[in-house]
């Protein structure tokens, strides 16, 4: 019965590991995809006003670049975003390591 309990704890540990890995990838992926999505939305918005897609993209890319530069220059904002991601990684690591104590208790 102990082997079944150990296997169950390891499966739950793996599920927690996969969940936190997905959250970290989604968090940092959103940081990359957010400016790209903003470019697409601005291009579509300018298309509503009759601008060609190429011309609209030619205007939207520098506009989004400027917004990203302003966000980067905002004191502490980029550091808070990175720290939040690092905290998510550390929380996941601590939760996965917490299962090792449970496995040791089950084996005893």
């Amino acid at each position: 019965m102990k082997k079944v309990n150990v296997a169950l704890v390891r499966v739950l540990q793996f599920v927690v590991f996969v969940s936190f890995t997905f959250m970290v990838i989604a968090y940092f992926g959103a940081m990359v995809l957010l400016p790209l999505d903003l470019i697409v939305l601005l291009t579509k918005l300018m298309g509503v006003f009759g601008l060609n897609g190429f011309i609209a993209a030619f205007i939207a890319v520098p506009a989004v670049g400027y917004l990203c530069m302003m966000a980067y220059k905002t004191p502490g904002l980029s550091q808070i975003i990175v720290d939040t991601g690092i905290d998510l990684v550390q929380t996941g690591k601590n939760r996965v390591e917490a299962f090792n104590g449970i496995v040791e208790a089950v084996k005893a």
Side-chain angles (χ1 to χ4, degrees):
M1 190 64 179
K2 287 183 181 180
K3 289 183 181 182
V4 172
N5 289 339
V6 170
L8 180 63
V9 171
R10 290 294 184 195
V11 167
L12 289 174
Q13 183 181 21
F14 179 71
V15 168
V16 169
F17 171 74
V18 169
S19 299
F20 274 101
T21 302
F22 175 76
M23 284 186 250
V24 169
I25 290 171
Y27 182 78
F28 286 110
M31 295 301 119
V32 172
L33 291 178
L34 193 62
L36 296 175
D37 185 48
L38 191 57
I39 290 171
V40 170
L41 290 175
L42 282 175
T43 303
K44 287 182 180 181
L45 179 67
M46 290 181 209
V48 169
F49 294 116
L51 286 175
N52 186 5
F54 180 75
I55 295 171
F58 194 71
I59 296 170
V61 169
V64 171
Y66 178 75
L67 288 174
C68 290
M69 184 185 69
M70 290 283 96
Y72 179 75
K73 286 185 176 182
T74 302
L77 180 64
S78 59
Q79 190 62 38
I80 288 174
I81 291 172
V82 171
D83 287 345
T84 303
I86 291 173
D87 288 344
L88 185 61
V89 170
Q90 289 174 347
T91 302
K93 182 179 179 277
N94 292 337
R95 293 299 131 222
V96 169
E97 287 177 353
F99 280 96
N100 292 333
I102 297 171
V103 168
E104 294 302 320
V106 169
K107 283 183 180 180

